[in-house]
Amino acid sequence: QLSKAADIWIDYHKNHSKKKHATSYQAVIEPFCREFGERTIDQVVPDEILSFLNASPTATIHVPNGSVIPSYPASSILSEITS
């Protein structure tokens, strides 16, 4: 299931990434899992993912100097979890 893969991926980032990054990733992955989490990757067609991405806001990325970059695309985060 995608939700199990997402949980593993988020747990990894909670332990190996800055807290702000893991939080940003989680903000994108949680809605994705609500939509597709009970399915396996082969049960989700590209058009469904594209529709999700088009409807999704971007994740917020915090950089070390305290700035916020609000344009890190959800598609970049999701490509890691589904590859």
Side-chain angles (χ1 to χ4, degrees):
Q1 291 178 323
L2 285 171
S3 60
K4 289 181 184 178
D7 288 343
I8 292 167
W9 188 78
I10 288 295
D11 285 344
Y12 172 85
H13 282 288
K14 284 180 179 177
N15 293 312
H16 296 94
S17 298
K18 292 186 178 194
K19 182 180 179 182
K20 292 177 182 182
H21 292 159
T23 301
S24 295
Y25 299 156
Q26 195 166 5
V28 174
I29 294 301
E30 285 179 352
F32 181 80
C33 285
R34 282 193 295 273
E35 182 93 17
F36 304 110
E38 296 305 312
R39 300 197 230 172
T40 59
I41 190 65
D42 60 328
Q43 295 173 321
V44 181
V45 296
D47 286 343
E48 290 176 300
I49 295 173
L50 184 59
S51 292
F52 172 83
L53 294 174
N54 286 333
S56 296
T58 57
T60 299
I61 297 298
H62 301 267
V63 293
N65 68 6
S67 300
V68 174
I69 304 170
S71 60
Y72 192 73
S75 57
S76 296
I77 295 171
L78 293 175
S79 68
E80 288 188 43
I81 193 72
T82 58
S83 59

